[in-house]
């Protein structure tokens, strides 16, 4: 699985210091460096968002298939919610009557609970995408991985008004056996992807569409982004792809659980 940005701190590189200062001014730690510095003092294990007894474990294998079967397509949207781009994505999904899975960064969910609630109210599913999007977290301690996964679960659940994430997607695909099993024990199926649209790199709308057309036969789960920079190309690609795929007989759904 591709690792977007190739390492730590890529959010800060994308939005720049100015946005970081602005967000700190409002008390929201959006796109920050890691909450815990590897090699420094170990964080305390995160408290689960809900008691273990209230959670039904799921399979720990990485999901790629669609609940809709062989002609199903899973739209997955990573790194938000974002006040500029998430509403535009939601409008398109509503227009074409498509349900999607939103893989949310914990600090983003905490900063924009109204958007988390809108995602849930529209019938979409939530996915835990860690606290701080550290694409090298598979190299860190189990304590650190636990903090990233469980704190994000708590943040997203609180922001949603009590709806828990149903999946866990490691940033950049940085899964470990430990992180997969931990997420699964919390009822969050590890979630992969089949088609990396590369929309994060802004290759052009035509290129994003062409990637989906070329790679969709290899698997149903498509990776897009609604945060981390200008997502105009993502929105325009979805505007073209959603009706096009419907016309081709595809059905939109959710990843298997």
């Amino acid at each position: 699985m591709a690792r977007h940005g190739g390492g730590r701190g890529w959010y800060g590189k994308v939005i720049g210091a100015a946005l970081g200062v602005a967000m700190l001014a409002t008390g929201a730690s959006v796109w920050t460096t890691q909450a815990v510095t590897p090699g420094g003092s170990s964080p305390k294990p995160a408290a689960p968002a809900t008691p273990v007894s209230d959670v039904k474990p799921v399979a720990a294998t990485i999901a790629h298939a669609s609940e809709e079967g062989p002609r199903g397509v899973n739209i997955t949207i990573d790194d938000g919610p974002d006040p500029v781009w998430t509403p535009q994505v939601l409008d398109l999904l509503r227009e074409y009557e498509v349900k999607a899975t939103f893989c949310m960064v914990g600090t983003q969910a905490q900063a924009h609970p109204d958007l988390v609630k809108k995602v849930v109210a529209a019938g979409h599913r939530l996915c835990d995408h860690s606290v701080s999007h550290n694409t090298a977290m598979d190299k860190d301690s189990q304590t650190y991985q636990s903090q990233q996964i469980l704190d994000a679960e708590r943040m997203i659940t609180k922001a949603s008004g009590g709806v828990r994430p149903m999946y866990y997607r490691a940033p950049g695909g940085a899964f470990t056996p430990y992180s997969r099993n931990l997420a699964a024990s919390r009822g969050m199926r590890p979630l992969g992807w089949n088609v990396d649209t590369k929309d994060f790199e802004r290759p052009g709308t035509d290129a994003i569409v062409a990637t989906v057309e070329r790679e969709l036969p290899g698997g149903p789960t498509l990776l897009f982004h609604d945060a981390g920079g200008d997502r105009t190309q993502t929105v325009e690609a979805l505007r073209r792809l959603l009706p096009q795929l419907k016309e081709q007989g595809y059905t939109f759904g959710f990843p298997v659980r």
Side-chain angles (χ1 to χ4, degrees):
M1 295 180 181
R3 297 197 178 202
H4 306 292
R8 301 175 188 280
W10 60 275
Y11 270 96
K13 294 178 184 177
V14 173
I15 64 167
L19 181 54
V21 170
M23 294 307 295
L24 285 172
T26 63
S29 57
V30 183
W31 293 320
T32 59
T33 54
Q34 282 25 271
V36 181
T37 302
S41 57
S42 298
K44 294 181 180 180
T50 54
V52 174
S53 59
D54 295 340
V55 175
K56 182 178 179 181
V58 294
T61 52
I62 298 174
H64 294 90
S66 175
E67 291 182 348
E68 295 297 313
R71 295 293 289 177
V73 173
N74 305 322
I75 300 294
T76 65
I77 314 289
D78 282 22
D79 298 358
D82 179 273
V84 173
W85 305 108
T86 303
Q88 295 184 48
V89 172
L90 285 172
D91 285 346
L92 278 175
L93 295 172
R94 180 174 62 254
E95 179 180 351
Y96 294 106
E97 299 181 320
V98 170
K99 302 304 180 187
T101 301
F102 284 77
C103 300
M104 296 184 174
V105 173
T107 50
Q108 289 291 100
Q110 187 177 58
H112 305 291
D114 56 326
L115 292 177
V116 182
K117 291 180 176 67
K118 286 181 179 179
V119 167
V120 171
H124 306 295
R125 288 185 181 178
L126 302 177
C127 172
D128 179 333
H129 201 34
S130 83
V131 171
S132 52
H133 203 285
N134 176 1
T135 61
M137 64 182 287
D138 55 331
K139 304 298 191 295
D140 286 311
S141 69
Q142 291 183 356
T143 300
Y144 177 81
Q145 293 175 49
S146 174
Q147 175 261 328
Q148 286 286 306
I149 295 167
L150 298 183
D151 279 2
E153 178 196 1
R154 175 180 52 78
M155 291 173 177
I156 294 167
T157 302
K158 181 177 180 181
S160 72
V163 178
R164 300 182 60 256
M166 299 178 69
Y167 307 91
Y168 166 66
R169 173 174 276 167
F175 289 103
T176 65
Y178 174 80
S179 68
R180 289 191 293 102
N181 282 295
L182 174 62
S185 74
R186 297 291 308 154
M188 297 183 291
R189 180 74 183 267
L191 178 58
W193 62 81
N194 303 105
V195 180
D196 184 353
T197 66
K198 304 293 185 182
D199 66 326
F200 190 82
E201 299 173 4
R202 289 183 284 181
T205 300
D206 289 346
I208 296 170
V209 172
T211 296
V212 173
E213 292 172 340
R214 182 178 65 253
E215 299 184 12
L216 181 56
T221 301
L222 313 184
L223 172 60
F224 297 93
H225 296 81
D226 64 343
D230 187 332
R231 301 273 70 88
T232 301
Q233 294 177 9
T234 301
V235 172
E236 291 308 310
L238 285 169
R239 193 185 310 278
R240 287 167 54 178
L241 283 165
L242 297 181
Q244 175 182 315
L245 293 174
K246 278 195 168 185
E247 290 173 3
Q248 293 173 358
Y250 287 100
T251 302
F252 295 94
F254 297 112
V256 295
R257 289 256 300 152

